[in-house]
Amino acid sequence: MVRLRARLARSQSTLGRGLLELLSRDRLDDETWDEIEETLITADVGVGPTRAMVEELRTRVKVLGSRTPEEARALLKEELLTQIGADMDRTLHVKPHGERPAVVLVVGVNGTGKTTTTGKLARVLIGDGNKVVLGAADTFRAAAADQLQTWGDRVGAQVVRGPEGGDPASVAFDAVAEGTEEKADVVIIDTAGRLHTKTGLMDELGKVKRVVEKRATVDEVLLVLDATTGQNGMRQAQVFAEVVNITGIALTKLDGTAKGGIIISVQRELGVPVKLVGLGEGPDDLAPFDPEVFVDALLG
Ligand code: GDP
């Protein structure tokens, strides 16, 4: 958690500090409200959520009248926590079902950090005492299975892979079968993220899910989203949300130039909680998403 605060604080606090400065002004005229709106949009909060937030802040400032900087901070913190959905359930469902392992499907566009997140998640789960099997269901890219294998070796997880160009669903099936056989607690399946056509994607992911469900229950479908891609990433995320039932979001690359507002945008627009955040490329750079820590980091 300390790391989450430190890493975020470095790149993100401009949003919070900018807002705080604006909101602490004695007179909040229309121009200042425009500036607040602009700050939110620029930080990837998204148009809809920005409007809702500005409206709420306007009402509350009117009621409050003049504000001390502390009051402005408290007001902003409360509003950000509301927008971030502080009370959303962010539990990661990774408990095995008797003899059967829990299954996590990792989906998202190529390059967002799917394989890295799969490896890092395995590391966290293994650290918690779980036995983990990884499934390399991205059979389209030669390097993808190798990359997952490297992660498996690094964190101590067995990797099930198929022939290059093989059927992703069959690899997923084999991974679950192996996980069951080996009495694993969790099977994590790294899928292909080719956004060719919506029907193609739907067929592919739908088949992977159906086939896995012959042997197990899919407990989590984690959508990996690259925070640095902003509203573009949002649109891709929407396509995935239309084809599979996403249960949680792993927002990667928050350590870089990403703007924190994407967290508000993605949750509001998809109605799915951010459960994990990626804070770097290393094996320990994955953290559960904690709204309170995040907002404190934003506000500096
Ligand atoms: P995939 O194609 O979706 O499986 O993406 P990869 O897992 O191969 O990741 C693409 C690139 O993003 C790699 O260079 C990763 O090291 C990098 N990456 C993934 N997650 C993070 C993160 O949280 N922070 C940073 N800085 N880089 C990341």
Side-chain angles (χ1 to χ4, degrees), residues 38-170:
E38 219 177 288
T39 307
L40 289 166
I41 300 259
T42 315
D44 281 335
V45 173
V47 177
T50 294
R51 295 233 168 96
M53 200 170 157
V54 167
E55 202 167 302
E56 183 62 26
L57 284 171
R58 278 188 103 129
T59 311
R60 301 198 49 187
V61 162
K62 207 178 274 173
V63 174
L64 197 65
S66 66
R67 285 121 293 121
T68 62
E70 289 73 31
E71 283 170 332
R73 190 183 194 280
L75 181 65
L76 192 55
K77 179 169 175 177
E78 204 184 313
E79 184 54 23
L80 282 167
L81 282 174
T82 304
Q83 292 298 330
I84 282 173
D87 51 2
M88 276 174 138
D89 180 13
R90 295 172 203 276
T91 316
L92 202 60
H93 300 284
V94 285
K95 290 249 177 316
H97 312 267
E99 299 287 287
R100 286 179 300 146
V103 178
V104 179
L105 284 190
V106 181
V107 306
V109 178
N110 288 340
T112 50
K114 272 192 312 295
T115 306
T116 308
T117 303
T118 302
K120 290 194 279 194
L121 179 59
R123 162 88 154 198
V124 171
L125 294 174
I126 290 167
D128 289 343
N130 295 287
K131 180 166 183 178
V132 177
V133 167
L134 303 178
D138 181 353
T139 55
F140 299 96
R141 290 179 303 159
D146 291 343
Q147 196 192 338
L148 193 68
Q149 184 72 58
T150 306
W151 272 102
D153 296 343
R154 196 174 192 183
V155 304
Q158 186 189 338
V159 178
V160 174
R161 49 196 294 182
E164 194 187 327
D167 179 17
S170 122

Side-chain angles (χ1 to χ4, degrees), residues 202-239:
M202 200 177 320
D203 288 351
E204 217 163 273
L205 283 181
K207 190 171 168 202
V208 167
K209 192 155 181 271
R210 271 195 314 279
V211 164
V212 167
E213 280 169 347
K214 287 188 180 165
R215 295 285 306 242
T217 312
V218 174
D219 300 276
E220 285 282 352
V221 181
L222 281 183
L223 173 72
V224 179
L225 191 64
D226 177 344
T228 62
T229 58
Q231 293 297 313
N232 258 338
M234 272 301 310
R235 278 186 285 280
Q236 296 172 341
Q238 265 150 351
V239 175

Side-chain angles (χ1 to χ4, degrees), residues 1 4-5 8-9 12-13 15-17 19-20 53 72-86 90 260 263-264 267 289-300:
M1 259 333 121
L4 172 61
R5 190 188 295 257
L8 289 172
Q12 328 257 325
S13 56
L15 162 67
R17 271 195 244 120
L19 284 177
L20 208 51
M53 200 170 157
R73 190 183 194 280
L75 181 65
L76 192 55
K77 179 169 175 177
E78 204 184 313
E79 184 54 23
L80 282 167
L81 282 174
T82 304
Q83 292 298 330
I84 282 173
R90 295 172 203 276
I263 287 189
I264 295 175
Q267 293 186 150
F289 177 59
D290 182 327
E292 183 100 19
V293 173
F294 180 72
V295 169
D296 279 337
L298 277 188
L299 297 178

